[in-house]
Amino acid sequence: RGKYYFFQGNLTEAARSLIGVPDNAEYTLRARYFLGVVYVKGGDLTRALEAFQSVLRSPATTDEDKQTVDLTYLAIGRIEYEQQHEDAAIEAYQHISTDSEYFDDALYEVSWVHLARGDTTKARRSLEMLVIYDPDYRGSISVRNQHLNNDYNGFEGFEIEGRPAAVAVDFW
């Protein structure tokens, strides 16, 4: 029901419904993750971060749970980056395994964190690792504006869309 209320635009009822999911339910981790999504949508990044961190308190026993944990680390990294906590953002991204389908996204976003710090060398290394890890990855990065446009709509799904056609690294 939480997702239903969310997509109806009723964030209060969505949160209430998701908070009510018991700790031992089959969908506990996904409910906690989506609660974080609700808070992000409502603009409350502090509560969103707490909700995402609550996902990490329970073991991931299924493949869906493991995917949810990876998405949670991406979400935490994005919030920490948004709040200018670069070390915490990098730490969150580093929890994502090289076996994860989200590893390339984590590397890409780590490069942005390094750019925010002004460390173009580490940003370039992250992108080089990304191209080695996934030669078909599509993304774009520019040091000129040093800004990662976080699309918080990506929190609600299990896929990041809208990447440019090629990896372009512009260090001007």
Side-chain angles (χ1 to χ4, degrees):
R1 290 190 320 210
K3 279 188 170 185
Y4 169 79
Y5 288 125
F6 176 83
F7 289 113
Q8 295 299 312
N10 190 339
L11 300 181
T12 302
E13 285 302 315
R16 184 175 294 132
S17 177
L18 293 164
I19 288 170
V21 174
D23 288 342
N24 60 350
E26 179 181 352
Y27 299 103
T28 298
L29 295 184
R30 282 168 269 165
R32 289 178 184 164
Y33 172 82
F34 207 77
L35 179 61
V37 173
V38 169
Y39 290 139
V40 167
K41 182 74 170 179
D44 190 343
L45 296 183
T46 300
R47 288 178 80 184
L49 189 57
E50 291 169 2
F52 290 129
Q53 289 169 337
S54 75
V55 171
L56 306 176
R57 291 189 206 118
S58 297
T61 56
T62 68
D63 287 341
E64 287 176 333
D65 285 349
K66 291 174 186 173
Q67 185 180 45
T68 301
V69 167
D70 287 342
L71 286 168
T72 297
Y73 279 120
L74 278 176
I76 290 170
R78 290 170 180 165
I79 290 172
E80 295 291 10
Y81 172 84
E82 192 73 21
Q83 295 179 333
Q84 299 179 341
H85 302 143
E86 290 92 0
D87 289 338
I90 289 173
E91 183 180 334
Y93 293 131
Q94 288 176 338
H95 282 281
I96 299 171
S97 166
T98 57
D99 297 334
S100 171
E101 67 183 279
Y102 302 106
F103 181 69
D104 55 350
D105 297 310
L107 280 175
Y108 182 74
E109 293 181 28
V110 163
S111 68
W112 279 108
V113 175
H114 290 307
L115 283 178
R117 292 178 158 173
D119 192 338
T120 56
T121 301
K122 285 185 179 178
R124 184 178 310 139
R125 285 184 188 144
S126 294
L127 291 172
E128 288 169 351
M129 286 176 49
L130 174 59
V131 172
I132 291 167
Y133 172 76
D134 184 0
D136 297 324
Y137 186 81
R138 303 293 183 237
S140 178
I141 194 168
S142 173
V143 177
R144 275 181 252 207
N145 60 14
Q146 294 188 7
H147 180 73
L148 171 61
N149 185 12
N150 286 329
D151 178 5
Y152 288 112
N153 292 323
F155 283 112
E156 62 192 68
F158 290 101
E159 192 171 315
I160 295 176
E161 298 178 1
R163 295 186 183 131
V167 173
V169 183
D170 183 3
F171 288 100
W172 292 101

